[in-house]
């Protein structure tokens, strides 16, 4: 029986990294103390469970994109795993920017309606909606597959954002 030396989680034989906290598995740590038996068992702090969402990394990465920048903020605050934090930060950057573009486009709607440019406004709005839908699907699929897909401009900002919090 092998336990993580950092968080005390039981891991399978031959696993290189702890699935709970991500630390490398070195020498086997002793199991949590059982004597005297306590109800409920009280473990020392080194065996306390890591504060994680309880989800697998790929599912948590997918959920970062579910409601756009809103779920990105939530997962950036509650999950400490680097893979999930990157996808949360990238969700904030990508869908936050698309949200700002949508707001700017809605303010330009009034001017386009009275200046005869309403058709151009409708096409830009449809293009922005299509880009948002495509980004949403692609990023969710890539995160679920466990890939660290980086949107060209947003990835650099996301790396900075994920590392600071």
């Amino acid at each position: 029986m092998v336990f993580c030396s950092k968080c005390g989680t039981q891991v399978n034989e031959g696993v290189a990294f702890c699935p709970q906290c991500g630390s490398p598995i070195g020498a086997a740590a002793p199991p949590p103390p059982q004597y005297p038996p306590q109800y409920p068992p009280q473990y020392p702090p080194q065996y306390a469970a890591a504060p994680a969402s309880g989800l697998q990394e790929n599912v948590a990465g997918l959920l970062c994109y579910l409601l756009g920048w809103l779920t990105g903020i939530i997962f950036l605050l509650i999950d400490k795993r680097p893979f999930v934090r990157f996808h949360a930060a990238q969700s904030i950057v990508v869908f936050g920017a698309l949200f700002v573009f949508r707001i700017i486009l809605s303010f330009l709607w009034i001017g386009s309606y009275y200046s005869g440019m309403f058709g151009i406004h409708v096409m830009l709005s449809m293009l922005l909606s299509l880009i948002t839908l495509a980004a949403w699907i692609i990023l969710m699929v890539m995160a679920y597959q466990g890939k660290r897909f980086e949107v060209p401009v947003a990835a650099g900002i996301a790396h900075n954002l994920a590392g600071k919090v």
Side-chain angles (χ1 to χ4, degrees):
M1 194 70 47
V2 178
F3 291 88
C4 175
S5 60
K6 185 174 181 183
C7 68
T9 302
Q10 179 180 349
V11 294
N12 295 332
E13 295 286 336
V15 174
F17 295 96
C18 175
Q20 186 71 20
C21 68
S23 65
I25 302 297
Q34 298 294 326
Y35 302 103
Q38 298 172 347
Y39 302 100
Q42 301 293 321
Y43 299 120
Q46 70 263 24
Y47 294 113
S53 62
L55 297 171
Q56 294 178 3
E57 277 189 330
N58 64 336
V59 175
L62 175 137
L63 291 176
C64 289
Y65 297 108
L66 187 64
L67 297 177
W69 57 268
L70 181 63
T71 50
I73 290 173
I74 292 168
F75 275 93
L76 189 66
L77 294 175
I78 66 170
D79 207 318
K80 302 302 179 205
R81 296 175 287 188
F83 179 81
V84 178
R85 290 179 61 82
F86 168 75
H87 283 290
Q90 185 165 262
S91 175
I92 293 169
V93 173
V94 170
F95 293 109
L98 290 170
F99 184 71
V100 168
F101 289 149
R102 174 72 65 190
I103 291 173
I104 291 170
L105 195 59
S106 68
F107 282 121
L108 296 177
W109 177 82
I110 297 169
S112 69
Y113 183 74
Y114 291 113
S115 67
M117 305 285 279
F118 187 68
I120 294 174
H121 177 270
V122 169
M123 286 193 292
L124 285 175
S125 180
M126 289 174 58
L127 180 65
L128 188 61
S129 297
L130 185 63
I131 290 170
T132 303
L133 178 65
W136 185 64
I137 292 171
I138 290 169
L139 290 172
M140 283 178 52
V141 168
M142 291 295 182
Y144 186 72
Q145 291 176 349
K147 296 179 182 174
R148 196 176 181 121
F149 182 74
E150 297 183 358
V151 177
V153 176
I157 300 168
H159 282 294
N160 290 337
L161 183 62
K164 288 183 180 177
V165 178

